[in-house]
Amino acid sequence: MGKGIWVYAEHKDGKIKKVTYEMLGVARQLADQLAEEVAAVIIGKEVGELASALGEYGADKVYVLENDALAEYTTDGYTRALARLALEHQPTAIFLGCTVQGRDLAAQVAQRLQAGLCTDCTKVELQDGQITLTRPIYAGKAFVQAISPEARPVMATIRPNVLPVPQPQGGRAAEVVQVDVEPGDIRQVIKEVVRQVSTRPELTEADIIVSGGRGMKSAENFRILEELADVLGAAVGASRAAVDAGYAPHSMQVGQTGKTVSPQLYIACGISGAIQHLAGMGSSKVIVAINKDPEANIFKVADYGIVGDLFEVVPLLTREFRKL
Ligand code: FAD
C-alpha cells in the first residue's frame, strides 16, 4: 500500500468548493489503479462536519486540522499545517484546486517539501505506472504532459470545472482523523476580512458565464449583462479592456492575467477575442459570441456567433430566456 493520493479540500462559507469533488474523482481513479488510499485534508475552524461529504465523493480518510486561529486562510498558517502533515505521512501525490487559495498554498507547500509543482492541470492519469499531468501552454494553443519519476509527492493544481464531479455514494463514510495543530503553527489574520456578497455563482465555478468587453462602453451598461446572468443563474465576467476602463472590478477579469474559467456556456458580449482573453476561457464547453464586427477573432472560437449590436441582442435574449 502506498502512502496515499491527497486532495486539499478547499471550502468557503461552510461549503466545500466544487473543485474539491472534481479532484476527489480523479484521485479515486488513481488510487484504485495504484492500490493506494485517497485522503482529503481540510483546514479551518469547525470544519469537521464537512468531512462526511468528502467520504461520499471518494475519500477513504479525512485529516481534519481545526483551530480558531485557522478560521481565515493565511499563507503561513495553512502552509505550515499542510506541509507538516505531508512531511509526516509522505503522500504519493497532493492535488489542490487552481484557485486563488490553491495556487498560493500549493507553491508554498511544494517549496517546503522540496517537490515540483505542475500548475493549472486539465487532465491527470496513470501512464506506464506514472502519474501523468496535462496542462495547457501558450495560452491554450498546445498541451504539455509532465511526469515526476522520482520526486515525491507529485504536486499539482487542478483547473476547476474541467474534470467531472463523481457521483456521490450516499452513506460512504471516510475515516476522520483529527490532527493536533500546534499553536506554533498558527498565524492569525488580525486585519478585517471584507467579503463580497453576491447571489451569483463564483466565476471559476459557474456553469454559465456572461462576459462583457470594451463594447459594453460603460460600467452602467453591465446592468444588462447582470439581468441576463440572473435569468440564467450565471456569473458575470469581463475582459481586461473592460476592467482597465473601470467598467468592472478586477475580480471579474477573465484571461491570462485574470481568472481561468471552464463553464458549460460562455457568452462573450462586445469582446474581440484577443489571445490573452481566450487563454482564460478557451476551454469553455460552448462559446457564444455577440459582436457587431463579423471579422472579430472571437467568432473563430465561438460555437455560435451573433453578429449584431449587443445592446439589442442581450435584452432580447433576456426577454426570451425569461419566458422559459
Ligand atoms: P476590444 O479588443 O476593444 O474589443 C471590443 C469589441 O467589442 C470589438 O470586437 C467590437 O467589435 C465589439 N463591440 C463594440 N461595440 C459593440 C456593440 N454595440 N455590440 C457588439 N459588439 C460591439 N485581456 C483579457 O481579456 N484578459 C486578460 O487576462 C488579459 N491579459 C493580458 C495580458 C497581457 C500581458 C497583455 C499584453 C494583454 C492582456 N489582455 C487581456 C488584453 C488583450 O490583449 C485585449 O486588449 C483585451 O482582451 C481586449 O478586450 P476587449 O475584447 O473587451 O476589447
Side-chain angles (χ1 to χ4, degrees), residues 203-250:
L203 201 54
T204 51
E205 296 203 337
D207 284 333
I208 306 176
I209 295 174
V210 180
S211 224
R214 203 196 310 261
M216 295 307 300
K217 298 194 171 59
S218 74
E220 293 70 42
N221 288 339
F222 261 73
R223 184 76 212 127
I224 63 168
L225 299 189
E226 290 165 3
E227 282 166 4
L228 176 58
D230 288 342
V231 173
L232 296 172
V236 180
S239 73
R240 176 159 160 183
V243 170
D244 287 351
Y247 305 165
H250 182 259

Side-chain angles (χ1 to χ4, degrees), residues 19 22-23 94-100 102-104 106-107 117-124 133-146 155-163 204 255-262 278-283:
V19 67
E22 294 162 2
M23 293 188 290
I94 308 178
F95 300 131
L96 300 92
C98 193
T99 58
V100 172
R103 283 193 301 221
D104 184 52
L117 175 65
C118 193
T119 58
D120 198 19
C121 299
T122 51
K123 198 172 180 185
V124 182
L133 305 156
T134 303
R135 70 184 297 270
I137 53 169
Y138 301 124
K141 283 199 177 303
F143 291 87
V144 68
Q145 286 192 323
M155 283 196 67
T157 60
I158 310 294
R159 184 182 287 194
N161 258 359
V162 175
L163 304 176
T204 51
Q256 191 178 314
T257 43
K259 290 185 173 147
T260 304
V261 298
S262 291
L278 302 184
M281 45 63 77
S283 57

Side-chain angles (χ1 to χ4, degrees), residues 304-319:
Y304 299 95
I306 302 173
V307 178
D309 186 340
L310 71 91
F311 296 103
E312 288 170 20
V313 177
V314 172
L316 194 68
L317 288 176
T318 308
R319 272 204 303 281

